[in-house]
Amino acid sequence: MSKAFLIVESPTKARTIKRYLGKTYDVDATMGHIKDLPKSSLGVDAENGFKADYKVKADKKDVVKRLKKIAASASTVYLAPDPDREGEAIAWHVAEELKKTNIPMKRVVFHEITKKAILEALKHPTEINKALYDAQMARRSMDRIVGYTMSPLLWKNVRRGLSGGRVQSIALRLICMRQDEIDAFDAEEYWTIDTILATSKKEEISARVIIPKKIPDKDAAAGIVDTIQKAPEITIKKITKKTRNRHPLPPFITSTLQQSASSRLNFSAKKTMRVAQQLYEGLAIGGNEVSGLITYMRTDSPVLSSEAINQARTFIPKELGKAYLNDKPRQFKAKKSAQEAHEAIRPTSIENTPDTLKKYLNKDQLALYGLIWKRFVASQMKSALFDQTSLDIAASDVSLRANGSIMRFDGFLKVYDLKEEKDSLLPVDIKEKDILGLTEITPKQHFTQPPPRFTEASLIKELEDKGIGRPSTYAPTISTIQEREYVRMETRAFIPTELGRDVNMLLVQNYPNILDFGFTARMEDMLDSIEEGAVQYGSAMETFYNTYSKEHDQAKKNMENLKTKERPSGIKCDKCGADMLIKLGRNGHFLGCANYPECSNTMDFTRDEKGTILVTKRPEPEQTDVKCDKCGADMVIKHGKYGPFFACSRYPECKNTRPLEADKPTDIKCDKCGANMVIKHGRYGAFLGCSRYPECKNIKPLPMGLKCPIPGCKGEITQQRSRKGKTYYKCSQKDCPFISWTRPVEKKCPECGVDFLIEKDNQLICPNPECSHEEDKG
């Protein structure tokens, strides 16, 4: 008897669902997208209705072959990737590849990986949503056009390996604009005056001067202090009492989850989404039971289903008390651009409390799950109730104010604590016209502060507020601008690098509309309109392309070449006294003497909070007895971006350099001439080179003795270095997709036996895409 065949995009999800469906279904995974635009060409035909030339990815050919084989004998194929644009694109591409099997294909959608949700979805299959697919294709096409045409201009005019993009360039612009505000900020002096006053019963009251509103300097502060001290009496003129409600926040959507996880758990957006994916796809929570613990985590809708609300309204009075249940269900409205079919991020079962799951989840999973669970429960609880009292106090013509707040009912704060809510008590029996005594007075100098730099949380909020990007884009956008070295993180805040400033300047100058917040937000709205069926794919692409192509044509003519541009730095050369200029070299920005080549002095530099250039001292060259093999002069040890090296002391007349470490012999044979290979050291790190150099110039990456974790691959892991100097680890097989930017940890995976694990966000992750093992870093 033929089985039904259900296809998802994740191996972990496939294993979870297979447990629910049993032997009557085959379940398999695409492991992400099976098709993409070709790497070797633009892949979007602007002359032919913006047709997107999707091809099966090289590393997915075996996956597609396997899916076809299973589908050929299936009774029905159910396409069940994630319920969003990306998932719809995966479903569409799988359907294109399987259509020759002539097997009936249906789309099924579920927002949580639980047995009930899966079985219910299979009862109500639908067709693939072409409008949703077109919206994803439009985003991919826009991003491809920008990336494949803007990036080469940056390569030409700045350096290789850079990229421009619709959303990433806007994020970089926001960070640079904030830095410009900080650089231009002039601090202004102001003073505050705080007092401690005493009632007739010696009870203390803290009050601050509120009139005059502005106290500009020390003399003004001294005058006010004198007035208060000499006042005939200090009197309570007015007492204001009111009740304030503090309402619970909506349950999480993607952006608010990322923001809260950043501020409360110190998670990056990327880590938040990775851990949330694990909670969504399913974890073992007792015996062999595997269940998805949260609903789909890429959503911009805070809406809750009636079933979820009923769960909460049953749980709250039973576990927390009737007094904590809100009088009526709370429902939260989605923004206009939100996908209404989606629900807020919430636990799949409210009975899975953080305490009951403590022994099944790792530290990060438990922390994030607890945040999601508490926010959901709190959303259906009563508001917190505070009594607020303010005292207006007079001392001659100076006015002071004291504020007090008392929590009368904690409400939702019992579950979801807000740190800023604290009691500040005032004496209970005070009344108007009471006379107070002055116990203490403290004038204090302050200076206005510049606007804060963006953190991950505040940058995501700013992008969301401006209507730029969508739930699936925030984490990769932030990762990209860091990987391209456009920004660096310092005390959890983004600071643009010199490279980031330059790239932003060029893009803003040459692409004013594409880098305009309003234009980018309108393009996001247009993608939403495609999804809703109100706008056609071709029409939206034409609107975007007409604007972009005009600006790009001008940029090709007018973009300034920063490789040849030198800018003053305000720093003097410590060897000849000439000006040092900011120059752009292969390895980034540096300070070079204006008298070059007569003076070849160079310096590294950074900038302080105000953007002022600070010189970073390099170690002085170390004298050695090693002779230069080109001119016979002594070699010195210098320190460069990639570590110490030998350099001729007669530089720049002789520019000979060589590695500090001698070549090390190995037993590995050269595959061109048969001689032994030796370990050499170059600009990009260690590598294998033929011992018969220069007769044989064969080189190979340095193997690490670790087998590739991709199933079926016979390669081994090699250490390599990018043109930008970053070390990475790649499979020796050219067509293998495995790559890691963190060094493999030689520890076997206890689940699948792979030779090593990869460190990510203080976790050790199995690199095998078919294995979900993860453990805390020891």
Side-chain angles (χ1 to χ4, degrees):
M1 179 179 175
S2 297
K3 296 181 180 180
F5 182 26
L6 188 140
I7 302 173
V8 293
E9 80 293 342
S10 160
T12 304
K13 189 192 292 186
R15 287 194 291 272
T16 302
I17 294 173
K18 179 63 177 173
R19 289 185 175 96
Y20 297 150
L21 299 181
K23 297 180 180 180
T24 56
Y25 282 81
D26 284 318
V27 184
D28 209 333
T30 65
M31 291 186 287
H33 286 274
I34 62 166
K35 285 186 170 185
D36 198 1
L37 300 173
K39 290 184 178 181
S40 58
S41 62
L42 182 64
V44 181
D45 189 354
E47 304 299 323
N48 187 24
F50 298 93
K51 182 180 178 181
D53 184 23
Y54 280 102
K55 303 288 187 185
V56 174
K57 298 165 71 174
D59 62 323
K60 294 299 175 68
K61 289 183 178 178
D62 287 343
V63 173
V64 172
K65 185 177 179 181
R66 184 178 72 244
L67 296 179
K68 286 181 176 179
K69 183 177 179 181
I70 300 172
S73 59
S75 58
T76 306
V77 174
Y78 293 100
L79 305 169
D82 285 342
D84 57 14
R85 293 173 186 167
E86 299 298 320
E88 209 69 22
I90 293 172
W92 186 278
H93 291 151
V94 171
E96 285 182 331
E97 293 303 306
L98 300 187
K99 62 185 178 184
K100 292 182 181 178
T101 62
N102 292 320
I103 302 298
M105 283 185 279
K106 296 289 184 181
R107 176 78 163 111
V108 291
V109 173
F110 30 80
H111 299 274
E112 57 186 69
I113 311 301
T114 59
K115 187 172 184 178
K116 179 180 178 181
I118 305 300
L119 295 177
E120 188 65 26
L122 288 169
K123 290 178 184 177
H124 305 285
T126 62
E127 302 299 322
I128 297 176
N129 186 331
K130 186 176 187 303
L132 202 60
Y133 168 67
D134 283 348
Q136 190 278 342
M137 184 165 60
R139 177 184 290 282
R140 187 73 185 97
S141 298
M142 288 180 189
D143 290 345
R144 171 54 71 96
I145 289 169
V146 173
Y148 267 47
T149 55
M150 184 186 286
S151 299
L153 290 186
L154 296 177
W155 289 31
K156 176 183 175 182
N157 294 295
V158 187
R159 79 176 193 201
R160 290 182 64 84
L162 303 183
S163 68
R166 283 189 323 111
V167 179
Q168 75 172 59
S169 297
I170 290 289
L172 175 61
R173 185 183 183 190
L174 285 168
I175 293 169
C176 289
M177 286 175 65
R178 180 60 56 87
Q179 185 62 48
D180 289 342
E181 290 180 60
I182 294 170
D183 293 349
F185 182 81
D186 288 323
E188 292 184 7
E189 180 184 9
Y190 71 97
W191 287 67
T192 58
I193 300 175
D194 290 309
T195 65
I196 295 178
L197 308 174
T199 68
S200 59
K201 295 181 180 179
K202 305 301 182 185
E203 295 171 305
E204 292 187 341
I205 296 172
S206 297
R208 171 168 288 188
V209 171
I210 60 169
I211 296 176
K213 290 183 178 180
K214 188 173 183 182
I215 309 174
D217 52 39
K218 185 176 182 179
D219 290 341
I224 294 169
V225 169
D226 188 59
T227 299
I228 295 172
Q229 289 173 333
K230 293 179 179 179
E233 60 183 22
I234 301 173
T235 311
I236 298 176
K237 290 294 185 183
K238 184 180 179 182
I239 299 177
T240 304
K241 294 184 177 181
K242 60 182 178 181
T243 300
R244 176 175 68 92
N245 287 312
R246 178 68 189 261
H247 303 300
L249 298 166
F252 284 125
I253 58 175
T254 303
S255 59
T256 54
L257 177 63
Q258 290 171 346
Q259 292 164 39
S260 293
S262 174
S263 59
R264 288 173 174 253
L265 307 178
N266 200 19
F267 282 11
S268 67
K270 188 175 182 180
K271 178 176 180 177
T272 299
M273 297 311 290
R274 178 170 58 79
V275 177
Q277 184 87 28
Q278 295 162 3
L279 296 173
Y280 166 67
E281 291 186 342
L283 295 164
I285 59 170
N288 295 320
E289 182 188 352
V290 176
S291 178
L293 298 179
I294 64 170
T295 53
Y296 191 52
M297 66 287 164
R298 292 186 181 90
T299 175
D300 48 9
S301 170
V303 173
L304 291 169
S305 66
S306 57
E307 180 185 356
I309 292 174
N310 289 336
Q311 276 190 31
R313 291 185 64 80
T314 301
F315 178 89
I316 292 167
K318 183 174 71 174
E319 299 296 331
L320 301 174
K322 292 181 180 179
Y324 287 94
L325 180 64
N326 197 49
D327 295 337
K328 59 182 180 180
R330 292 187 191 272
Q331 189 59 276
F332 301 90
K333 291 184 178 180
K335 291 183 178 180
K336 183 180 178 182
S337 60
Q339 298 184 57
E340 292 182 2
H342 282 184
E343 196 179 344
I345 304 169
R346 61 166 178 84
T348 54
S349 172
I350 200 170
E351 299 297 331
N352 287 327
T353 67
D355 283 343
T356 62
L357 298 184
K358 191 176 293 184
K359 59 184 177 181
Y360 304 116
L361 307 184
N362 65 34
K363 181 181 176 183
D364 290 339
Q365 291 166 346
L366 183 63
L368 192 66
Y369 180 80
L371 204 61
I372 293 167
W373 187 91
K374 290 175 182 178
R375 180 84 164 232
F376 165 64
V377 174
S379 74
Q380 297 304 312
M381 295 174 68
K382 273 191 176 178
S383 302
L385 186 64
F386 294 84
D387 284 344
Q388 281 192 325
T389 303
S390 63
L391 309 181
D392 287 329
I393 301 165
S396 295
D397 59 349
V398 175
S399 294
L400 303 93
R401 179 166 293 162
N403 291 307
S405 178
I406 301 172
M407 183 191 292
R408 292 301 182 195
F409 177 62
D410 55 358
F412 77 94
L413 295 175
K414 184 179 180 70
V415 170
Y416 195 79
D417 182 41
L418 298 176
K419 295 178 182 178
E420 66 270 21
E421 299 288 7
K422 295 179 180 178
D423 283 351
S424 52
L425 304 178
L426 291 173
V428 294
D429 57 352
I430 51 175
K431 56 186 182 297
E432 292 180 1
K433 298 183 180 180
D434 277 357
I435 306 299
L436 305 174
L438 179 63
T439 301
E440 187 178 314
I441 186 164
T442 307
K444 192 172 183 179
Q445 183 186 41
H446 305 272
F447 291 92
T448 53
Q449 296 296 309
R453 290 193 173 96
F454 283 112
T455 61
E456 279 204 5
S458 59
L459 181 61
I460 289 169
K461 187 175 188 306
E462 187 74 9
L463 290 168
E464 185 183 39
D465 288 346
K466 292 185 180 298
I468 295 166
R470 288 298 182 262
S472 62
T473 65
Y474 297 129
T477 294
I478 288 172
S479 293
T480 299
I481 59 176
Q482 291 177 278
E483 290 164 3
R484 296 288 184 267
E485 298 179 356
Y486 294 159
V487 299
R488 71 177 194 274
M489 291 288 279
E490 194 172 292
T491 59
R492 298 184 63 204
F494 291 116
I495 301 175
T497 62
E498 203 71 22
L499 177 63
R501 288 169 178 257
D502 282 349
V503 168
N504 178 65
M505 175 192 69
L506 291 179
L507 296 183
V508 171
Q509 287 177 351
N510 291 278
Y511 296 92
N513 279 302
I514 300 303
L515 269 289
D516 177 72
F517 303 136
F519 178 82
T520 305
R522 288 194 295 276
M523 290 303 100
E524 296 289 355
D525 290 342
M526 190 169 290
L527 293 173
D528 294 336
S529 296
I530 296 173
E531 181 177 326
E532 294 162 3
V535 174
Q536 296 300 307
Y537 165 81
S539 173
M541 288 301 302
E542 190 170 347
T543 299
F544 166 78
Y545 191 73
N546 286 344
T547 299
Y548 178 77
S549 60
K550 291 175 184 176
E551 292 192 340
H552 183 65
D553 289 343
Q554 290 297 312
K556 286 191 288 187
K557 300 174 186 176
N558 301 330
M559 186 175 284
E560 184 178 19
N561 191 329
L562 298 187
K563 292 179 180 179
T564 58
K565 182 179 180 180
E566 298 175 348
R567 292 165 283 167
S569 68
I571 305 294
K572 295 293 183 182
C573 177
D574 57 4
K575 292 190 175 179
C576 72
D579 290 335
M580 297 296 282
L581 303 175
I582 300 175
K583 299 185 177 186
L584 178 60
R586 180 180 296 171
N587 299 325
H589 292 79
F590 65 97
L591 300 181
C593 185
N595 278 339
Y596 182 84
E598 288 77 12
C599 177
S600 58
N601 188 27
T602 62
M603 301 176 180
D604 295 327
F605 72 95
T606 58
R607 292 182 184 267
D608 65 12
E609 288 189 357
K610 291 287 292 179
T612 304
I613 289 176
L614 303 175
V615 173
T616 305
K617 293 291 184 183
R618 294 178 182 172
E620 290 295 322
E622 180 184 335
Q623 302 297 319
T624 74
D625 295 330
V626 179
K627 299 298 181 183
C628 175
D629 52 8
K630 289 190 176 180
C631 72
D634 288 340
M635 302 286 276
V636 295
I637 297 176
K638 290 188 174 182
H639 295 264
K641 183 174 182 180
Y642 308 117
F645 62 96
F646 282 118
C648 183
S649 59
R650 293 184 60 245
Y651 178 86
E653 289 80 11
C654 177
K655 298 182 179 179
N656 186 31
T657 63
R658 73 186 201 207
L660 202 61
E661 298 181 47
D663 295 345
K664 295 180 181 179
T666 73
D667 294 330
I668 301 172
K669 298 295 182 182
C670 174
D671 51 11
K672 290 191 176 180
C673 72
N676 284 349
M677 304 287 278
V678 294
I679 299 175
K680 292 178 173 285
H681 296 269
R683 178 193 300 158
Y684 303 119
F687 64 95
L688 290 176
C690 184
S691 59
R692 292 185 60 245
Y693 179 85
E695 289 81 10
C696 178
K697 298 181 179 179
N698 186 27
I699 61 171
K700 296 171 65 176
L702 188 67
M704 301 180 67
L706 300 172
K707 293 180 181 178
C708 179
I710 302 298
C713 181
K714 297 181 179 180
E716 59 180 316
I717 303 306
T718 61
Q719 177 180 315
Q720 302 186 36
R721 184 165 258 171
S722 71
R723 292 182 179 273
K724 295 190 291 182
K726 293 184 70 174
T727 300
Y728 65 98
Y729 306 88
K730 194 177 187 311
C731 179
S732 58
Q733 297 290 327
K734 290 183 178 180
D735 294 335
C736 180
F738 177 79
I739 185 171
S740 172
W741 291 94
T742 57
R743 186 177 182 84
V745 177
E746 294 188 39
K747 181 178 182 180
K748 277 190 178 293
C749 174
E751 291 189 21
C752 70
V754 162
D755 281 355
F756 62 93
L757 303 175
I758 294 293
E759 182 182 343
K760 286 186 178 180
D761 299 319
N762 292 318
Q763 297 281 307
L764 295 180
I765 312 294
C766 180
N768 180 354
E770 296 183 1
C771 179
S772 60
H773 176 70
E774 178 176 320
E775 62 185 64
D776 289 333
K777 182 183 175 185

